[in-house]
Amino acid sequence: MTLTVVVVDDEPGLRRLLVLLIERDGRFRVVAQAEDGIEALAAVREHDPDLLLLDLGLPHLDGLEVLEQLQGRVRPAAVVLTGFADPATLERARSLGAADCLVKGEDFARVIEVLYATGVAADGT
């Protein structure tokens, strides 16, 4: 099973690194990248990915607003990767449907493991 992913982060270098990390794993295919919330929603509509790797600190629409607009959709399962370690912000993301929340400075090494577990759980296999 290959899981499709949209990667959303406003930092181009980090976004490229995440795409390389994800695609190198072999269990994923990155179908789109976005640098802001508006592009993220457009990519989700166009590609209907299994997973959304989403930063919260985005221009135009932030990650929480993206999650709000995606509420009620079965796909994609959202994994937040953010610089915000504030528990209230992370809890808000979860309440808006994020399957998991990772903090950039603390959880970067777990991105692949969490993406795969989230994708498998969402797929029901």
Side-chain angles (χ1 to χ4, degrees), residues 12-62:
L14 179 57
R15 200 172 53 246
R16 281 191 299 272
L17 178 63
L18 289 167
V19 169
L20 287 170
L21 184 70
I22 292 166
E23 289 188 335
R24 174 180 276 168
D25 181 84
R27 296 176 288 183
F28 307 95
R29 183 170 52 91
V30 175
V31 294
Q33 300 176 46
E35 64 183 32
D36 64 47
I38 293 170
E39 287 181 6
L41 291 171
V44 166
R45 282 191 298 273
E46 180 179 345
H47 298 283
D48 188 31
D50 299 308
L51 296 160
L52 175 66
L53 183 60
L54 179 66
D55 185 17
L56 294 182
L58 299 171
H60 307 299
L61 287 176
D62 68 29

Side-chain angles (χ1 to χ4, degrees), residues 1 3 25 27-28 51 79 110-122 125:
M1 164 176 70
L3 297 165
D25 181 84
R27 296 176 288 183
F28 307 95
L51 296 160
V79 173
R110 296 182 49 232
V111 169
I112 295 300
E113 158 197 336
V114 169
L115 275 177
Y116 189 71
T118 300
V120 168
T125 58

